[in-house]
Amino acid sequence: MDKRPVGRPRKEDSPKPATKEESRKEKQRKYMRDYKARITKDIADLDKMEEECQKELEEVKKERKKLIDELDKANKQAESILKEKICKK
């Protein structure tokens, strides 16, 4: 059971159009098919890049939070050391 392609069937490309008008229309159809295919491919590429950027952004946010926590711990440790030194004098 072969699935039929979705959508309207394409017009058959004639080997040699008989008139200039048919030739022009044929070129126009081919150009639009290629144009739409490129746009579809570019949209898919942009979606993929957006997903990668979102993942990278999440990693950067996690790393930033981790660094802020480490800095906060270091500041608290320095504060406690300073308090000890001041109290001993």
Side-chain angles (χ1 to χ4, degrees):
M1 295 192 112
D2 292 332
K3 278 191 163 184
R4 292 181 56 189
V6 178
R8 180 177 59 82
R10 286 187 176 174
K11 281 191 173 182
E12 291 297 319
D13 293 334
S14 56
K16 285 189 176 181
T19 65
K20 288 181 182 179
E21 183 67 23
E22 288 175 352
S23 174
R24 186 183 62 80
K25 285 184 179 180
E26 183 63 35
K27 287 179 183 177
Q28 198 172 22
R29 276 196 301 271
K30 184 176 181 337
Y31 172 79
M32 285 308 291
R33 279 188 212 134
D34 293 343
Y35 180 73
K36 287 180 182 179
R38 283 194 316 264
I39 288 176
T40 303
K41 180 184 171 287
D42 290 344
I43 289 172
D45 290 344
L46 286 173
D47 285 340
K48 184 179 177 183
M49 288 190 306
E50 182 183 10
E51 287 176 13
E52 290 172 358
C53 287
Q54 288 297 329
K55 287 179 184 177
E56 196 173 315
L57 179 63
E58 289 299 320
E59 289 176 14
V60 168
K61 284 181 179 180
K62 286 178 185 177
E63 186 68 26
R64 180 178 176 261
K65 188 175 187 309
K66 187 187 297 184
L67 290 173
I68 289 173
D69 289 343
E70 288 178 17
L71 184 62
D72 189 40
K73 287 178 186 176
N75 283 340
K76 286 181 182 178
Q77 187 178 16
E79 182 183 348
S80 67
I81 291 172
L82 282 173
K83 283 182 181 178
E84 283 180 22
K85 294 289 184 179
I86 291 173
C87 290
K88 285 186 180 179
K89 283 187 175 180

